Amino acid sequence: MKHKHILSVTVANHPGVLTRISGLLSRRNFNIDSLNVGETDNPDYSRMTIELSADDRTLEQVKKQLDKLIEVIEIIELDKSNIVDRDLALIRVDCPKENRSEIIQIVDTFRAKVVDLSKDSIMIEATGTEYKIEGLIEILKEFGIRDIVRTGIVALNRGQVTD
């Protein structure tokens, strides 16, 4: 049975690493739900946050294949019950003057921001869990969504609890 998994993969910060990793996953027909890459506090390394839907056997295959790459330093499967995760979305919505206040109320309710406004559209920036973003998108559909761009998940383990 497939479940969503989040892998935090620390890799060497070199040109071509993303191509090798995405190519490896593609050649083996592993589907990536989202992928983010950013430099860590150490400029020699980057961290990839890879979200994928897979059964346990497939997930183990993915981790073993990634571990074979010399550029991969560390692979951690993040436990969703012990992480902070965020997704970012920019959403452009039809916004005639008569709907503007209602849309802005919705934006406020979701703790999102209006980042651009024209006479017939509004652009909203939303950050949060993917469920929050999907909830906002679902509500905004009735107004007419023109464009959406999303980053996909970035996530880190929570700090350790001390006694």
Side-chain angles (χ1 to χ4, degrees):
M1 186 165 157
K2 288 184 175 183
H3 300 281
K4 287 204 173 210
H5 301 275
I6 301 171
L7 298 177
S8 178
V9 182
T10 304
V11 298
N13 188 8
H14 296 153
V17 173
L18 175 60
T19 300
R20 279 192 280 287
I21 289 177
S22 62
L24 179 148
L25 296 172
S26 174
R27 282 191 303 277
R28 284 159 180 82
N29 208 25
F30 299 135
N31 189 36
I32 299 170
D33 294 333
S34 74
L35 171 69
N36 276 290
V37 184
E39 190 175 278
T40 66
D41 56 320
N42 181 342
D44 294 333
Y45 302 113
S46 293
R47 180 167 294 120
M48 295 182 158
T49 305
I50 304 171
E51 182 182 28
L52 51 102
S53 298
D55 58 35
D56 292 341
R57 183 172 165 264
T58 302
L59 179 66
E60 284 309 309
Q61 289 176 334
V62 168
K63 291 194 296 190
K64 285 179 183 173
Q65 293 297 319
L66 290 173
D67 200 37
K68 290 180 182 176
L69 296 175
I70 194 159
E71 297 92 351
V72 173
I73 311 300
E74 181 179 44
I75 303 167
I76 298 172
E77 182 180 359
L78 299 177
D79 176 357
K80 287 186 175 184
S81 67
N82 193 34
I83 62 172
V84 174
D85 63 313
R86 295 291 182 265
D87 190 354
L88 180 138
L90 294 174
I91 309 161
R92 185 184 330 272
V93 180
D94 289 332
C95 186
K97 195 173 183 177
E98 60 271 12
N99 291 342
R100 191 164 292 160
S101 63
E102 185 178 1
I103 291 172
I104 289 172
Q105 275 187 317
I106 292 167
V107 167
D108 289 343
T109 301
F110 279 83
R111 296 183 187 154
K113 293 187 226 172
V114 174
V115 292
D116 188 48
L117 182 64
S118 70
K119 67 180 183 182
D120 63 347
S121 71
I122 189 168
M123 186 186 305
I124 300 160
E125 174 190 311
T127 58
T129 65
E130 66 180 317
Y131 303 108
K132 173 185 168 183
I133 304 296
E134 288 167 9
L136 176 60
I137 289 169
E138 191 60 36
I139 289 174
L140 292 173
K141 281 181 181 175
E142 74 177 81
F143 298 99
I145 292 176
R146 291 185 184 180
D147 292 309
I148 298 177
V149 63
R150 293 176 69 167
T151 61
I153 287 178
V154 292
L156 284 175
N157 277 323
R158 291 185 179 276
Q160 290 191 342
V161 177
T162 57
D163 293 327

